[in-house]
Amino acid sequence: MSDSKAMPPPESAAGQAADTAAAAAAAKEKAKKEKEERRRLKEMELKMRNIAVGDQPAKKTTKAERRAIQEQQRAVKQETGHPGAAATGTSGAATTGGGGARDGREPRPEAGRQHAGAAGARHARVNVDKYTVPEDRRMYLYEHLSLPDHPPSSAQAQGAGRCLGTGPTTAEHSTGDPSAFAAGITNAAFPPGPQVVVGMARDDYVAAEANTPRTVRVLGTAGKPVEAVLRDAVSPFASGPGQRKFLKPSATIAVHPRIKEVGLRMATMEISGSNARTVAMLLAFADVIADYSTPPRAVLTQHLTSYLSLQIDFLVFQRDRCIGMANAIRWLKAEIIRMPNDLKDDEAKRQLAEKIDGYIKERITAAGDIIAEAGAQKIQDGDVVLTYGASSTVQNLLVAARRRGRRFQVIVVDSRPVNEGRRLVRKLVEAGFSSQQSRSSSGEDGGAGGADRTELSDGVTYAPITALSSLMRDASKVLLSAEAFFANGTMLSRVGTAMVALAAHSCHVPVIVTCETYKFNERVQLDAVVNNELGVPDALMYKTGIPDAEPVGPQSDPALSAMEYSAYARDKYSPHPRWNNRNALRSETPAESTAAGKKAKAVKAAKAAAAAELSREAAAVAKLSSACPLNDWRTSRQLRLLNLTQDVTPPEFVSVIITEVGMVPTTSIPVVLREYKNQI
Amino acid sequence: MESPTSPSSQFSREAAIYVDGFITRLRRGQVVEAKRLAMETVNLVEHVISISRWNDVETLSELIRAVGRKLLIAQPRELLIANVICRLLRMVAEESESVKFVEDGWPAREPVREPPSVSSAKSCETPGMGLGQSGALLTRTFAEQVASQLEVESMTLQGFKNNIRNEIEEYIEELENVEANIAKSALEYIHSNEIILTCGRSRTVEQFLRTAAEKRKFHVIVTETAPTYEGHEQARALADVPNIEVVVIPDSAAFAIMSRVNKVILGTRAVMANGGLVAVSGTHMIAAAARHHSTQVVVCAGPYKYSPWFPSSDDCFNTLESPDAVLPYREGDLVAAVDVVSPRYDYVPPELVDIFVDSTGGHLPSYLYRLLRESCDEARDLSWGIHE
């Protein structure tokens, strides 16, 4: 911080020119000074990018140690309330800089102003209260998107110790392991039981891969700590299992923590759905920009775009962007480039934050509301609305129609392995839809016996997609949501949508699709196979899908319940046998037994116990293979699981698209694209 | 042809025990697989016949009908049982046509025979409408009918009983080999490097693909068929076959993957007289997706699956399964608030099926009703009713 000021100007040595030796010495000195300055500049930039460059580069510090150091310094800073105070130490200056950027959104205007006054301070704080949407309002706005609560690691006014999870572990997110950067993120998809902590940093993962299993103590549901297994946070999404390129570790380090958080949550499907992902991404970008400061000799419009690209790379690496995200990214970059060059940092950042806020409100939130209102008018009393999966827009629409007093039935069709429809059903039931009355009036089978709809009911029917053809006859409208529309009118959406649309088309049921225009794309796609996102293949192995982690067979079976569940097969660090990684079990056990045999023969008893354990496991495995036939698919060369997550619906199946600019047919997508070209 | 007495009164005590035992297993869902169900039904009927007293054809038919009626009361929507019973009744009728009992004391029954002119006209009515061997079938039956007219045997009751037993044995044998017989023509349908899509668990389809894989190498995509996960078992079974590469996809991805599929090969639970299928749920959507992509849909079904009824509605032979597989009871409050629908079968309309393959070859769906006449053409065989 103060080091750039302390540096003497290099031209001071240029005074005496007569003596050649002196001149040479001066030149040498000058070169040295220049080199020094370059180094400092470089260091500063690295600081700015959040890379901690210690003053002792020769000493190899692990990331965990560096984090711990940062941690202490941050805690000190937190106590004094004056970030500059801790930064005066010469050796610690570099490392604090990395952390300092993260606290940018803490609402401490006085401290920020003081600090901005300090000479050479790069990390001038802006009063962020002015433009940041307050937390409660934000959650209200995006409530329907089911964005998870901000974890402690997000830069709200929380103790820095909590940020990295070293503070008092009161929250359920917190772990005792300082090295796990985002270990605070528990995956809601995994039920209580052996708790799973997703979100270990990548190099921790590499370390774990190389050495021993790393387990952390987390707070169990009952309040007592249970052992959890650190798990690869990076799911095999981006480009399919096995084909994933790894980012350079240095690139990963330079990623803003909010981006990491959002990226990890997207990778673990905690944030899923186009709208939720785009909003989460844009909010994270807003935080990134708030923490950003243009390095010396750089122009914001150019440097910020490249800096953002780095963040985007990380996001995309975690999980490929959806079309909505891609459009938003394109828009944001265009906005940044469009900004005048002579704007000051603060002003530019303020404007950008406003624009991002505006984009979210205009293109996503308000658009969703308009769509919900417009769509709700299309629902009449006595309708049977069939929908597929869970979409925030459709949910809003149905709830809006219900709020208008419409009485209609909803059929939620769902499919494996995500079973997200259950979420929608839950939301609908909370919103007051219920089958109780209809059941008492019209007999037991609500869906199949839908023929007699004399009484208006507002029940919810839930069915798997295999039941589609028998349910479609009862439906009077089909309501779907799109992930994107392409210029040729095809709709990209969650896998199975095309089937629902086809069934509706063949039963002559109108298909209403909700789609915000920010999801329109100029690309053209003809079928689903050329470009698709692959889900975790193991999800297909379990009969009820990953969110349940409830595999097969009788749940009361102790032999089966002894085996632990893992979403990712490469998780071989658990002491328990894994359903999908029994080979690891096999390779480990003999090794153990031989080692034991070498030591002494007195451990025979222990061996016998182990053998008994093995046979118990063998029994479990046998039971498993009958209950879950695909459990060993990784060992079979001829058997593969393909978990496509998207499909493409031909335009002729879609009757109308409800957008915030009106109801349009699929043929009008190019028109909308052209009209709104400068905005999209 | 309703019997005046109640069905159970005709059974001996021992026979009733057997029938009730089987019914219990039916109700408990212990006999689910199609072929096993058919074979067990035949075995049961054979057993009941062998331990019951019967002296004339009429009593015998009524005995079989009574067994069928009892089974159908237990499982009213099980088409296969009805198919088998129909076939057995037809067998008895055919057998008795050529027989004249000679011993006294037995009421010699004059077989009711159609005049040959009618039957020959009937068989000439639709020449060449079927494919391949169906023509041969027609001529065979015609020849049989002519032959039966020529030699009206005189026979003792014991001889008749033996004949019936032999016929039933033959039928069981036919049932046992039905998959292999269907699979004989597999190479005509599957080419090298093709991508085949199938769904559900069908031993017929499995055998079909296995046979083709002896000569050719191809890919099979199996949809997992969600609430029952029969597709998992099918995939597991096929993955052991060399030359077949199996890919399991979720049911929802069938449309997405269909653009890459060359042929859809389906198994079915039963085939209606109009050529529609009663197949595992999810089949309709796959067939519809195949139709949208102009992919051929081949249905492998043994003749015992052809049922003589026309569907009165799409749901008439469907049953609902336990909702637990769809929405686990763990979801508690949710389960109480929503209706969960989990049908076991789909009705697939005949226009979505391109061809049926059975042991005699390929048939068009529109030709199926004619094939059915071979096994069960008399209205009286159906009169004991499936809807009671």
Side-chain angles (χ1 to χ4, degrees):
Chain A
M1 306 280 155
S2 54
D3 33 21
S4 61
K5 192 196 173 192
M7 211 172 53
E11 44 271 341
S12 63
Q16 298 81 14
D19 197 347
T20 50
K28 205 173 174 184
E29 171 125 299
K30 189 180 174 185
K32 196 182 165 192
K33 296 255 178 192
E34 269 174 6
K35 197 177 165 192
E36 179 78 355
E37 164 131 18
R38 269 206 300 278
R39 197 184 68 79
R40 280 182 187 279
L41 281 175
K42 171 97 176 160
E43 193 180 305
M44 218 164 282
E45 189 183 337
L46 287 178
K47 267 192 287 178
M48 197 276 311
R49 289 165 127 214
N50 223 353
I51 305 177
V53 189
D55 276 6
Q56 58 283 46
K59 191 191 162 200
K60 205 79 164 153
T61 52
T62 67
K63 196 167 184 186
E65 282 168 358
R66 268 184 270 132
R67 284 239 164 79
I69 292 170
Q70 280 182 26
E71 202 46 50
Q72 291 168 357
Q73 285 160 354
R74 189 103 44 104
V76 171
K77 240 166 52 179
Q78 198 68 29
E79 281 166 17
T80 56
H82 193 291
T88 46
T90 46
S91 68
T95 44
T96 359
R102 268 184 231 172
D103 299 334
R105 282 186 54 238
E106 289 179 14
R108 283 178 308 180
E110 297 87 2
R113 215 152 281 146
Q114 274 175 24
H115 194 57
R122 299 244 64 91
H123 303 288
R125 277 154 213 275
V126 215
N127 186 355
V128 291
D129 285 348
K130 270 191 285 182
Y131 60 83
T132 312
V133 185
E135 209 56 43
D136 48 343
R137 197 175 132 223
R138 183 186 282 179
M139 290 324 288
Y140 167 72
L141 274 177
Y142 314 128
E143 198 176 31
H144 64 284
L145 297 180
S146 68
L147 288 178
D149 292 337
H150 277 257
S153 59
S154 78
Q156 22 174 324
Q158 295 230 21
R162 287 280 303 283
C163 288
L164 293 184
T166 49
T169 53
T170 47
E172 56 164 334
H173 313 293
S174 308
T175 71
D177 189 0
S179 63
F181 151 67
I185 307 174
T186 53
N187 193 346
F190 293 93
Q195 194 166 356
V196 174
V197 178
V198 184
M200 60 194 291
R202 240 197 46 72
D203 34 3
D204 283 330
Y205 173 69
V206 174
E209 187 93 74
N211 301 316
T212 47
R214 300 172 62 102
T215 56
V216 292
R217 313 286 289 183
V218 298
L219 280 181
T221 42
K224 66 174 189 212
V226 292
E227 199 155 86
V229 181
L230 274 185
R231 174 156 299 151
D232 179 12
V234 188
S235 76
F237 273 101
S239 49
Q243 301 161 11
R244 201 151 40 91
K245 313 188 291 279
F246 279 95
L247 286 180
K248 275 184 252 153
S250 62
T252 322
I253 290 167
V255 170
H256 191 277
R258 276 284 279 141
I259 297 289
K260 281 190 182 174
E261 172 215 320
V262 168
L264 292 173
R265 293 186 150 196
M266 284 184 189
T268 52
M269 306 299 281
E270 201 179 333
I271 300 179
S272 61
S274 236
N275 284 347
R277 288 179 67 196
T278 311
V279 169
M281 180 191 73
L282 284 174
L283 289 179
F285 281 164
D287 289 345
V288 170
I289 290 172
D291 289 348
Y292 173 83
S293 62
T294 319
R297 297 183 191 176
V299 188
L300 179 131
T301 52
Q302 288 158 16
H303 186 261
L304 182 56
T305 33
S306 63
Y307 178 60
L308 272 184
S309 299
L310 193 75
Q311 318 296 327
I312 292 161
D313 283 350
F314 182 82
L315 275 186
V316 170
F317 166 70
Q318 293 293 347
R319 190 184 161 191
D320 205 2
R321 64 197 136 187
C322 58
I323 301 285
M325 283 165 75
N327 282 342
I329 288 169
R330 200 141 46 97
W331 164 83
L332 182 60
K333 282 188 171 172
E335 284 297 327
I336 292 171
I337 288 168
R338 223 178 279 165
M339 298 192 70
N341 274 340
D342 51 352
L343 266 188
K344 280 193 177 154
D345 259 21
D346 292 0
E347 177 61 16
K349 281 157 69 175
R350 195 186 56 77
Q351 283 186 11
L352 278 178
E354 266 173 12
K355 277 177 181 162
I356 289 178
D357 209 31
Y359 188 90
I360 295 177
K361 277 180 203 149
E362 240 175 70
R363 308 302 302 275
I364 304 175
T365 327
D369 288 347
I370 294 171
I371 290 170
E373 285 308 312
Q377 292 175 359
K378 293 284 156 201
I379 294 179
Q380 295 152 352
D381 278 344
D383 260 343
V384 180
V385 179
L386 187 143
T387 181
Y388 175 64
S391 144
S392 56
T393 332
V394 167
Q395 178 195 323
N396 267 3
L397 199 160
L398 293 175
V399 172
R402 163 102 187 149
R403 227 178 269 140
R404 282 162 174 257
R406 296 274 170 275
R407 313 256 308 157
F408 57 99
Q409 254 187 306
V410 182
I411 302 175
V412 179
V413 177
D414 203 0
S415 82
R416 288 203 350 116
V418 189
N419 282 337
E420 52 185 346
R422 285 179 201 172
R423 212 173 64 211
L424 178 63
V425 168
R426 198 168 280 282
K427 287 273 166 59
L428 290 179
V429 168
E430 281 166 12
F433 289 88
S434 176
S435 294
Q436 299 291 8
Q437 311 95 322
S438 62
R439 190 176 292 169
S440 55
S441 62
S442 71
E444 284 303 307
D445 44 353
D452 47 2
R453 290 196 297 266
T454 46
E455 263 185 63
L456 294 182
S457 67
D458 48 4
V460 182
T461 304
Y462 178 80
I465 194 170
T466 43
L468 187 60
S469 57
S470 45
L471 287 172
M472 192 54 84
R473 290 193 302 272
D474 299 333
S476 62
K477 283 186 179 79
V478 171
L479 201 56
L480 300 173
S481 78
E483 195 176 317
F485 266 100
F486 294 112
N488 61 342
T490 52
M491 170 171 74
L492 183 78
S493 194
R494 61 177 62 78
V495 67
T497 307
M499 256 181 160
V500 177
L502 167 68
H505 186 69
S506 56
C507 290
H508 307 287
V509 179
V511 177
I512 302 169
V513 179
T514 62
C515 184
E516 296 86 349
T517 53
Y518 85 97
K519 294 175 184 168
F520 285 6
N521 195 292
E522 286 183 340
R523 257 174 50 207
V524 163
Q525 193 169 333
L526 290 176
D527 81 11
V529 183
V530 287
N531 196 354
N532 211 311
E533 188 180 342
L534 297 182
V536 189
D538 295 81
L540 294 185
M541 184 170 95
Y542 303 102
K543 292 197 172 172
T544 44
I546 271 201
D548 296 354
E550 197 72 64
V552 273
Q555 290 161 21
S556 55
D557 194 333
L560 285 185
S561 62
M563 301 188 97
E564 208 176 306
Y565 162 81
S566 160
Y568 305 112
R570 59 170 129 173
D571 188 1
K572 55 186 175 195
Y573 309 116
S574 164
H576 302 290
R578 293 291 179 165
W579 291 50
N580 45 1
N581 200 21
R582 285 180 291 106
N583 273 4
L585 173 82
R586 282 197 200 109
S587 63
E588 276 165 23
T589 325
E592 279 170 17
S593 64
T594 52
K598 275 177 195 168
K599 275 185 181 176
K601 287 185 178 178
V603 290
K604 256 188 182 177
K607 260 189 182 176
E613 180 72 12
L614 253 185
S615 69
R616 201 173 62 85
E617 278 162 17
V621 163
K623 203 169 282 182
L624 177 64
S625 59
S626 69
C628 181
L630 301 184
N631 73 85
D632 57 344
W633 70 278
R634 281 179 193 278
T635 61
S636 167
R637 279 196 305 141
Q638 291 164 288
L639 182 60
R640 278 175 298 159
L641 308 184
L642 177 66
N643 187 2
L644 294 178
T645 59
Q646 298 167 326
D647 71 9
V648 164
T649 309
E652 65 263 25
F653 293 166
V654 178
S655 313
V656 71
I657 312 168
I658 305 183
T659 70
E660 73 264 26
V661 296
M663 303 196 189
V664 295
T666 48
T667 45
S668 293
I669 288 168
V671 181
V672 176
L673 278 171
R674 201 182 56 215
E675 290 287 320
Y676 293 85
K677 194 166 190 177
N678 48 354
Q679 288 181 35
I680 291 174
Chain B
M1 200 151 286
E2 289 295 319
S3 71
T5 51
S6 79
S8 51
S9 70
Q10 298 174 357
F11 297 144
S12 66
R13 199 180 152 76
E14 203 183 347
I17 289 170
Y18 275 107
V19 173
D20 288 342
F22 185 63
I23 282 173
T24 314
R25 292 175 58 219
L26 267 185
R27 284 193 169 139
R28 287 179 182 164
Q30 287 166 333
V31 193
V32 176
E33 193 211 325
K35 194 172 109 177
R36 212 174 123 220
L37 178 61
M39 287 184 63
E40 293 214 12
T41 311
V42 179
N43 281 332
L44 177 79
V45 171
E46 189 191 16
H47 196 75
V48 169
I49 289 173
S50 66
I51 63 175
S52 301
R53 263 174 208 283
W54 52 275
N55 300 332
D56 56 3
V57 179
E58 211 41 67
T59 325
L60 175 62
S61 316
E62 190 47 47
L63 198 60
I64 297 174
R65 271 187 217 115
V67 174
R69 218 175 284 134
K70 264 206 114 175
L71 295 183
L72 281 184
I73 288 167
Q75 285 288 346
R77 302 192 159 185
E78 200 52 88
L79 285 166
L80 283 176
I81 296 175
N83 297 348
V84 168
I85 299 289
C86 272
R87 172 70 200 260
L88 290 173
L89 284 172
R90 169 76 176 168
M91 207 181 275
V92 171
E94 269 177 5
E95 200 58 33
S96 60
E97 267 176 9
S98 58
V99 162
K100 192 181 178 198
F101 295 130
V102 286
E103 248 176 78
D104 285 341
W106 309 122
R109 177 180 174 271
E110 197 58 43
V112 188
R113 233 178 283 129
E114 297 170 44
S117 58
V118 173
S119 74
S120 67
K122 214 188 272 172
S123 48
C124 294
E125 211 171 53
T126 52
M129 237 182 77
L131 303 177
Q133 294 88 335
S134 48
L137 254 182
L138 288 183
T139 46
R140 183 173 60 81
T141 49
F142 181 59
E144 269 176 10
Q145 275 174 348
V146 172
S148 69
Q149 293 213 324
L150 291 180
E151 31 163 344
V152 176
E153 279 180 48
S154 304
M155 185 180 277
T156 60
L157 179 68
Q158 197 51 48
F160 179 68
K161 281 189 174 179
N162 285 341
N163 274 6
I164 290 289
R165 194 176 304 131
N166 290 342
E167 282 283 323
I168 291 179
E169 292 298 327
E170 234 172 71
Y171 185 45
I172 289 176
E173 206 167 298
E174 183 194 322
L175 278 179
E176 268 170 3
N177 297 327
V178 70
E179 284 146 15
N181 285 335
I182 292 172
K184 265 188 242 160
S185 55
L187 286 176
E188 295 167 25
Y189 296 94
I190 297 173
H191 202 266
S192 284
N193 290 323
E194 273 196 327
I195 300 177
I196 311 278
L197 188 135
T198 184
C199 75
R201 176 86 177 106
S202 162
R203 269 107 185 147
T204 320
V205 171
E206 185 196 330
Q207 187 60 44
F208 197 76
L209 296 174
R210 269 178 195 277
T211 310
E214 285 166 11
K215 291 265 173 61
R216 289 175 189 158
K217 217 173 146 80
F218 50 90
H219 297 257
V220 177
I221 298 174
V222 185
T223 66
E224 52 178 16
T225 325
T228 54
Y229 304 101
E230 290 177 352
H232 285 190
E233 287 161 41
Q234 182 85 343
R236 184 68 263 172
L238 287 171
D240 298 334
V241 184
N243 289 343
I244 295 184
E245 278 200 32
V246 184
V247 179
V248 180
I249 58 169
D251 302 299
S252 45
F255 188 95
I257 209 82
M258 194 58 84
S259 57
R260 296 292 180 277
V261 171
N262 298 102
K263 220 159 264 149
V264 176
I265 297 184
L266 299 173
T268 180
R269 180 71 178 184
V271 181
M272 308 300 286
N274 64 347
L277 308 180
V278 176
V280 66
S281 90
T283 311
H284 186 150
M285 286 321 303
I286 289 170
R291 173 47 45 97
H292 181 259
H293 289 275
S294 301
T295 309
Q296 300 282 311
V297 176
V298 178
V299 175
C300 299
Y304 66 98
K305 289 181 176 172
Y306 297 159
S307 65
W309 287 278
F310 286 85
S312 54
S313 82
D314 286 6
D315 283 330
C316 61
F317 295 108
N318 212 340
T319 51
L320 291 174
E321 294 240 307
S322 154
D324 178 45
V326 179
L327 191 68
Y329 292 132
R330 281 184 297 110
E331 303 271 346
D333 49 330
L334 208 55
V335 177
V338 302
D339 292 318
V340 179
V341 183
S342 172
R344 185 188 293 171
Y345 301 121
D346 253 358
Y347 171 71
V348 184
E351 55 266 25
L352 296 180
V353 179
D354 285 296
I355 209 152
F356 285 99
V357 180
D358 69 7
S359 24
T360 57
H363 310 287
L364 288 177
S366 54
Y367 184 65
L368 222 68
Y369 80 100
R370 192 67 192 80
L371 280 181
L372 278 165
R373 291 201 178 174
E374 306 299 336
S375 60
C376 181
D377 66 340
E378 288 171 66
R380 67 191 175 109
D381 286 347
L382 310 179
S383 65
W384 43 274
I386 199 152
H387 299 291
E388 302 200 32

